[in-house]
Amino acid sequence: MKSYKADVLVIGAGAAGLAAAIEVKKADLKVLIIERDKELGGITLQCIHNGFGLKEFEEELTGPEYAQRFINQVKDLKIPYILDTMVIEITKDKKIYAINNKEGLIEVSVKAIILAMGCREKTRGAINIPGFRPAGIYTAGQAQRFVNIEGYLPGHTFVILGSGDIGMIMARRLTWEGCEVKAVVEIQPYVSGLLRNQVQCLEDYDIPLITSYTVSKIHGADRVKGVTITKVSKDYDRIIGSEKFIECDTLLLSVGLIPENELTLQAGATLSQNGGPLVDNNLETTIEGIFACGNVLQVHDLVDMVTSEAKRAGKNVIDYIQNRYDKSITKEEKIKFIPGENINYVKPDHVNKSDIESNIIFNFRVKYPDRRVIIQFKDENNKVIYKRKKVYVIPSEMIELDLNLKEIGVEMTIKEIRIEVIPRPEVLIEED
Amino acid sequence: MIYDVVIIGGGVIGCCIARTLSKYDIKIALLEKEADIASGTTKANSGVVHAGYAAEREYIKRDMCIKGNKMYTQAAEELNFPFQRIGSFVVALEDGQIKELEEERNNGIQDGIIGLELILDKTKIKHMEPNLTDDVVGVLHAPSAGIVSPYEMTFALAENAAMNGVKFFRNHKVRRIRHQNYIFELKTKKGVFKAHNVINAAGLFASKISKMVGLDYFDLMPRKGEYILFDRNAMHLNKILFPTATKVSKGILVCPTAHGNTFVGPNAQNISDKEDTTTTEAGLKEILEGARKLVPKLPGRASIRNFAGLRAIPNTYDFIIDNTDVYGFINVAGILSPGLTSCYAIAERVTEYLELLGVDLKSNDKYNPIRPKPELFTNFSKDELDQKIRKDPAWGRIICRCETIPEKEILNAIHAPVGATTVDGVKFRCRPGMGRCQGGFCRPRVMEILARELNIPYQEVTKKSEDSYYLISKTKDELLRKIESGE
């Protein structure tokens, strides 16, 4: 069995893993990256469209270009990485077992682990579409891989279910390849991806967007021959009589992403309701010394946000190794953050009371769109501690607040804080 | 070349008969119309090995089931397929149903079903199956009931049969049968097969095959059953859970699979189209609602797949296992539930019929009943794994991340006797794509391996049949075509 030793192991070499590894390496710690694919870069490699890097580099890059900037740094800094390698077990004492076809079983001993495994796409089963089970049903990301990496077309005529970003980007991509995208069908009354993709990928190419509809049946025993779409009510119940048949040979699904946390669970860490691990403000999971960042923690809107979260995780890991590792520090008290009205989830889930004097970044998403709202923090006695106005909120845009809890008046006695997004009372008619 | 026996149909019944007959020194061929065996009813059913108390006593299916159940122990040992005798509960939710369970127990015990017991102690019941509803008033516990992977068992049967000399022909739909001078000539698109004896195990299409030799004495009606499968991590059941049965079916069950997933289903819908395996919105709702009566806390959001299968319901409601008036032509039709449980007993009955027909059943000296246990990545210790990868690097390349399937297991599935030739063939033999991502990551890799091993172009790899293609062309081919044709 081959053994490796390092201070930090990063699992996953996508946008999150690369940025976190680079950050840790800058503090002169020994870091090792394990990646299951055959090259560094992760999913960004198949995202050949532009729009990446506006925040991080203040220029517009494609996915592979964005990834390459980090890959170059990894190589310049001589960070070791093992490719084509699958982590199969993480033990309680932070021994990691992985395998690949060159070295066989690999054992890695480290002081800290950064989980950066990313996310995966929801499938047909997860949303239970009735009908046949033919070839010709792909997730948008799978189709993206076929077209952009492997160089094959998965079909001639498409219906795309779900208006997630990858779905809309693929609608444009397939049009460029000479395919016909008959419709993008969205169950919600609004688009679930970014507005810029709605404009640049659908409207600019006259691709019909059909909202408040869903695919209710798949036709074709061997290969998709078409889909039936049905209108849904406000409560997402299908309205009988509104069925329409659309002929197509391929159905793409862009119905959401789920953080990929099989390993996290196997390591014994707790997950929270968004499917990502429960973390404190250091992005540390419920297992000491195991940190998480990027889409494995929460699905982000933009890769730039993944990078900045990964850098934070990297800094926190450095702090952990330099100041906490191997020193028996008793578990400190935490303030619990709970999603309240119109909040889907909040990250971090906990804040360490000793950190309330430093700035903490909170990320959360709303459940449904709203206009002219108040975002507020309430303590366990329902006392409003903090509030701010916002013109609009939509689920596709993650809300980020950078707050110093002490400055906003959080006291050490508080045990939990509920975050809510509520409509503004009519009296407050001033703009933000 | 004249075969002693040609079996039509590569479902669990056809394959089980093939394997049973491979003990004897006779020439056997099996013809399957689909691209793979185990493609019909075998692929989409509950995978329950029933104890045998359920069927009415005047039906042969009851005897076959009770006998077949007992034969599973030896079969599983020899063929190494996933099978666990976990026991079943028939659940009574009202006091009035207890009487029915009592009657089933008494008759069952008389007929030799081992261990049947009526349990009325709710604490004990809940201890045995904590997921069961609080509304339970009693259960009929049948410890001899079990769960099996029906398609994996069928692949094992076919592999073993092939090892022992049976010839398998897939993509061979029988179009016509001529019977002359005691020889059957079976016409397929790919050639004519001659046989002294024919066994019709064509599932839903057995009545059509039977009519080809002029035997028109039964009808088969397709009855659809829909299912929903849940993620393995979502729930763990100890027992197979049936509601108290109605006249139409055994009802909607909540049941673990041999691989630790939970499924719910089936409903029972009589339809007319023998190829209509669509799931329906109403049906999926019906099975969820039905299942919730037994297990209120179903992990609805953790569903990973829905599917439907068709049972062949004969107008007699009993198995049709006949040495027919056409000498040498045996019908094995209308094998509805508990057909899976009964298959070994049915194969034994067919063997007796062949003996009656004068087939010389000398034993096959080379017969080996053992189908080697498939080597599984997940069963290896760390040291074994390290050594395996050193010997063969294909053990170290994980293709399916959800189910942890290495390339080697896929290669084994492709190169086994009667091996996989399609993506579904690989999936049903060794599970890549069965997990929560449903092939999202691994499908292109499986396609690559199939293309390489079968020496076919990447874009010609299909899901199940020739028409179930995944890719249409290289990128730009479509654009060039449109430019050239002026579209």
Side-chain angles (χ1 to χ4, degrees):
Chain A
M1 186 169 27
K2 183 140 185 186
S3 310
Y4 287 87
K5 234 183 153 141
D7 294 314
V8 181
L9 172 69
V10 177
I11 305 175
L18 293 175
I22 291 163
E23 202 62 32
V24 172
K25 181 68 182 184
K26 284 180 183 163
D28 242 355
L29 293 177
K30 264 188 83 180
V31 56
L32 173 69
I33 306 172
I34 290 185
E35 165 58 39
R36 61 186 171 191
D37 224 319
K38 58 180 186 239
E39 50 198 332
L40 299 174
I43 289 295
T44 41
L45 297 179
Q46 70 183 51
C47 303
I48 62 170
H49 51 280
N50 59 359
F52 298 87
L54 289 167
K55 273 192 189 158
E56 182 65 24
F57 299 110
E58 291 180 349
E59 53 184 308
E60 198 169 29
L61 305 171
T62 64
E65 284 172 333
Y66 188 88
Q68 196 59 44
R69 300 220 170 172
F70 293 90
I71 294 168
N72 290 345
Q73 283 189 66
V74 164
K75 291 187 174 161
D76 290 346
L77 292 167
K78 299 199 166 53
I79 298 173
Y81 54 87
I82 342 176
L83 299 174
D84 253 330
T85 303
M86 179 92 177
V87 173
I88 54 170
E89 191 185 342
I90 300 175
T91 68
K92 292 265 174 270
D93 54 347
K94 285 183 209 66
K95 271 204 173 43
I96 296 96
Y97 292 96
I99 56 158
N100 66 35
N101 57 8
K102 293 189 190 70
E103 296 160 294
L105 188 67
I106 297 164
E107 186 191 80
V108 189
S109 311
V110 291
K111 295 174 182 166
I113 299 168
I114 299 176
L115 304 173
M117 292 90 73
C119 59
R120 68 181 138 78
E121 298 172 280
K122 273 192 199 161
T123 63
R124 172 194 181 180
I127 50 171
N128 261 330
I129 308 171
F132 278 112
R133 294 159 298 286
I137 306 167
Y138 304 92
T139 59
Q142 253 183 313
Q144 191 177 44
R145 187 183 168 97
F146 275 128
V147 177
N148 293 349
I149 304 273
E150 324 230 340
Y152 287 92
L153 282 183
H156 297 283
T157 49
F158 291 73
V159 166
I160 301 178
L161 174 62
S163 55
D165 290 311
I166 321 169
M168 293 195 284
I169 286 161
M170 279 314 289
R172 177 179 64 181
R173 184 77 186 87
L174 290 162
T175 308
W176 287 344
E177 286 295 339
C179 304
E180 187 187 357
V181 179
K182 294 232 171 141
V184 172
V185 179
E186 169 59 56
I187 192 167
Q188 300 175 115
Y190 47 85
V191 162
S192 68
L194 298 172
L195 181 66
R196 75 171 196 209
N197 285 329
Q198 184 184 346
V199 175
Q200 293 171 11
C201 300
L202 304 185
E203 289 169 13
D204 287 358
Y205 293 87
D206 295 327
I207 296 168
L209 170 72
I210 308 176
T211 53
S212 293
Y213 267 85
T214 191
V215 171
S216 57
K217 189 169 181 182
I218 295 167
H219 302 261
D222 294 310
R223 172 79 193 196
V224 173
K225 289 199 170 117
V227 295
T228 299
I229 65 168
T230 308
K231 195 171 173 56
V232 296
S233 70
K234 261 192 214 147
D235 306 317
Y236 301 115
D237 290 324
R238 291 171 199 177
I239 298 169
I240 295 164
S242 64
E243 294 84 2
K244 289 180 200 164
F245 176 77
I246 307 179
E247 197 181 308
C248 61
D249 63 16
T250 313
L251 173 66
L252 292 195
L253 303 174
S254 180
V255 289
L257 301 167
I258 315 168
E260 188 157 349
N261 277 293
E262 278 72 26
L263 263 182
T264 318
L265 277 173
Q266 189 272 323
T270 312
L271 300 190
S272 67
Q273 70 273 33
N274 77 320
L278 203 114
V279 291
D280 66 11
N281 54 303
N282 296 320
L283 304 180
E284 190 171 3
T285 66
T286 49
I287 310 269
E288 195 198 299
I290 301 185
F291 295 73
C293 60
N295 286 351
V296 80
L297 176 62
Q298 55 179 337
V299 177
H300 293 260
D301 303 348
L302 299 170
V303 72
D304 302 68
M305 297 161 81
V306 168
T307 302
S308 90
E309 186 175 83
K311 285 182 178 172
R312 266 196 289 141
K315 288 200 176 82
N316 294 334
V317 168
I318 297 166
D319 177 64
Y320 168 77
I321 288 177
Q322 291 173 343
N323 302 319
R324 282 198 286 141
Y325 177 72
D326 247 4
K327 302 182 181 79
S328 49
I329 297 170
T330 45
K331 281 272 172 200
E332 54 185 327
E333 277 195 66
K334 295 173 193 290
I335 302 170
K336 201 171 162 189
F337 277 75
I338 300 165
E341 192 177 326
N342 196 11
I343 299 286
N344 205 334
Y345 72 87
V346 187
K347 291 286 165 197
D349 304 83
H350 292 145
V351 169
N352 300 316
K353 285 196 176 172
S354 57
D355 292 329
I356 68 166
E357 286 179 50
S358 34
N359 271 38
I360 293 167
I361 290 174
F362 291 93
N363 290 124
F364 45 93
R365 278 182 201 276
V366 291
K367 287 182 179 163
Y368 48 87
D370 205 353
R371 297 185 68 83
R372 304 181 59 80
V373 294
I374 295 174
I375 299 170
Q376 62 183 22
F377 287 20
K378 276 182 179 168
D379 68 10
E380 63 259 41
N381 301 316
N382 258 338
K383 191 184 128 200
V384 176
I385 308 166
Y386 168 82
K387 66 177 168 185
R388 60 168 294 179
K389 286 176 280 179
K390 199 159 167 46
V391 179
Y392 73 94
V393 285
I394 50 172
S396 62
E397 286 182 20
M398 186 191 275
I399 303 167
E400 187 166 302
L401 296 179
D402 186 350
L403 292 176
N404 181 314
L405 293 182
K406 178 94 180 194
E407 277 173 17
I408 64 168
V410 172
E411 286 164 29
M412 287 299 264
T413 51
I414 287 180
K415 286 200 183 75
E416 56 178 58
I417 290 175
R418 184 175 298 273
I419 304 186
E420 295 178 341
V421 170
I422 52 165
R424 250 184 259 174
E426 283 307 315
V427 267
L428 294 162
I429 316 179
E430 62 208 84
E431 283 304 320
D432 315 51
Chain B
M1 155 106 175
I2 303 174
Y3 289 98
D4 294 301
V5 177
V6 164
I7 300 162
I8 304 172
V12 64
I13 301 300
C15 290
C16 187
I17 293 169
R19 190 258 182 172
T20 304
L21 294 179
S22 72
K23 284 175 198 161
Y24 307 105
D25 189 16
I26 51 175
K27 292 192 282 293
I28 307 162
L30 184 145
L31 310 180
E32 165 57 48
K33 76 176 165 63
E34 299 295 332
D36 206 349
I37 55 170
S39 286
T41 306
T42 302
K43 189 169 77 171
N45 67 79
S46 305
V48 171
V49 176
H50 295 279
Y53 51 77
E56 288 87 338
R57 289 176 109 178
E58 62 272 23
Y59 286 160
I60 54 166
K61 62 185 181 183
R62 183 182 177 96
D63 307 336
M64 291 276 154
C65 178
I66 294 171
K67 193 170 174 196
N69 176 299
K70 290 174 183 158
M71 294 170 85
Y72 259 77
T73 307
Q74 192 191 342
E77 273 169 24
E78 290 176 349
L79 296 165
N80 288 298
F81 54 80
F83 169 62
Q84 296 127 37
R85 269 190 212 280
I86 59 169
S88 66
F89 278 177
V90 182
V91 180
L93 298 177
E94 297 158 26
D95 291 326
Q97 295 171 329
I98 298 289
K99 230 183 127 190
E100 273 170 64
L101 299 190
E102 244 170 11
E103 196 183 300
E104 284 193 339
R105 177 197 59 185
N106 295 344
N107 289 343
I109 288 172
Q110 266 182 30
D111 292 341
I113 302 172
I114 295 160
L116 275 185
E117 56 172 340
L118 191 62
I119 309 176
L120 299 174
D121 176 353
K122 204 161 152 175
T123 324
K124 187 177 172 190
I125 295 170
K126 291 281 282 185
H127 179 73
M128 290 171 85
E129 182 45 75
N131 294 300
L132 198 56
T133 172
D134 288 334
D135 297 339
V136 59
V137 293
V139 299
L140 176 63
H141 178 216
S144 62
I147 48 175
V148 65
S149 166
Y151 41 86
E152 282 174 74
M153 181 173 92
T154 304
F155 294 133
L157 285 163
E159 263 180 49
N160 190 239
M163 279 166 51
N164 291 315
V166 177
K167 301 276 180 278
F168 283 79
F169 299 89
R170 290 174 284 183
N171 280 320
H172 277 69
K173 182 176 176 176
V174 174
R175 311 189 141 206
R176 259 207 314 271
I177 303 174
R178 229 170 68 172
H179 185 218
Q180 227 169 15
N181 302 328
Y182 298 100
I183 289 177
F184 293 93
E185 277 185 29
L186 297 95
K187 206 174 162 224
T188 73
K189 215 180 191 174
K190 293 175 181 167
V192 176
F193 291 77
K194 288 183 184 171
H196 294 295
N197 300 281
V198 170
I199 297 164
N200 172 17
L204 271 160
F205 299 91
S207 48
K208 199 173 155 190
I209 296 288
S210 183
K211 280 174 199 153
M212 290 182 190
V213 293
L215 293 165
D216 184 4
Y217 68 101
F218 62 90
D219 281 323
L220 299 175
M221 178 182 64
R223 183 179 285 168
K224 192 195 283 185
E226 294 167 75
Y227 294 89
I228 299 174
L229 184 71
F230 297 105
D231 189 313
R232 199 181 348 204
N233 294 336
M235 171 169 258
H236 176 79
L237 284 179
N238 298 327
K239 295 283 174 192
I240 305 157
L241 303 176
F242 296 98
T244 304
T246 62
K247 282 269 174 285
V248 190
S249 86
K250 296 189 185 77
I252 292 156
L253 49 152
V254 185
C255 183
T257 70
H259 291 283
N261 300 74
T262 298
F263 74 82
V264 297
N267 53 356
Q269 229 185 332
N270 293 335
I271 56 171
S272 52
D273 180 356
K274 289 183 176 178
E275 291 182 350
D276 175 14
T277 54
T278 57
T279 52
T280 62
E281 201 180 336
L284 297 175
K285 205 171 150 197
E286 179 192 352
I287 55 175
L288 271 179
E289 277 169 12
R292 285 206 173 101
K293 287 182 195 150
L294 298 181
V295 178
K297 283 185 195 141
L298 274 181
R301 293 182 66 178
S303 72
I304 56 175
R305 188 142 183 97
N306 63 62
F307 60 94
L310 306 178
R311 309 83 141 174
I313 309 294
N315 47 354
T316 56
Y317 290 98
D318 199 2
F319 296 163
I320 297 162
I321 311 171
D322 288 341
N323 221 344
T324 66
D325 295 344
V326 176
Y327 194 85
F329 190 90
I330 300 172
N331 269 326
V332 187
I335 310 298
L336 69 176
S337 179
L340 179 65
T341 312
S342 309
C343 65
Y344 296 99
I346 293 171
E348 208 173 75
R349 172 75 57 100
V350 170
T351 312
E352 289 161 18
Y353 285 171
L354 285 174
E355 217 165 357
L356 286 174
L357 287 169
V359 179
D360 182 11
L361 295 180
K362 270 191 315 207
S363 53
N364 172 359
D365 295 338
K366 290 181 201 131
Y367 176 70
N368 176 1
I370 307 298
R371 176 255 194 168
K373 191 172 180 151
E375 287 192 296
L376 299 181
F377 179 94
T378 42
N379 291 347
F380 292 143
S381 70
K382 291 204 178 70
D383 288 338
E384 281 171 335
L385 194 57
D386 196 35
Q387 282 171 12
K388 283 280 174 198
I389 299 171
R390 273 162 212 282
K391 258 192 231 149
D392 189 341
W395 280 111
R397 188 174 170 231
I398 299 296
I399 303 296
C400 169
R401 299 158 180 184
C402 301
E403 300 285 312
T404 328
I405 312 292
E407 183 172 9
K408 183 67 185 175
E409 286 181 35
I410 296 170
L411 292 174
N412 287 346
I414 296 171
H415 295 300
V418 206
T421 58
T422 60
V423 171
D424 271 3
V426 171
K427 173 179 163 182
F428 282 96
R429 278 173 183 80
C430 65
R431 306 183 55 72
M434 284 274 189
R436 56 193 71 88
C437 95
Q438 290 287 300
F441 288 112
C442 66
R443 192 193 290 146
R445 302 286 79 75
V446 171
M447 289 168 66
E448 239 168 57
I449 296 169
L450 275 166
R452 186 185 72 209
E453 298 301 313
L454 303 176
N455 205 12
I456 54 173
Y458 186 58
Q459 71 210 66
E460 281 176 26
V461 175
T462 62
K463 182 173 193 288
K464 44 192 176 186
S465 58
E466 256 170 56
D467 297 330
S468 60
Y469 57 92
Y470 282 114
L471 302 169
I472 56 158
S473 65
K474 288 231 167 199
T475 51
K476 310 296 179 269
D477 287 2
E478 177 82 350
L479 269 180
L480 287 172
R481 189 188 61 77
K482 283 197 176 176
I483 291 165
E484 278 161 17
S485 69
E487 261 179 62

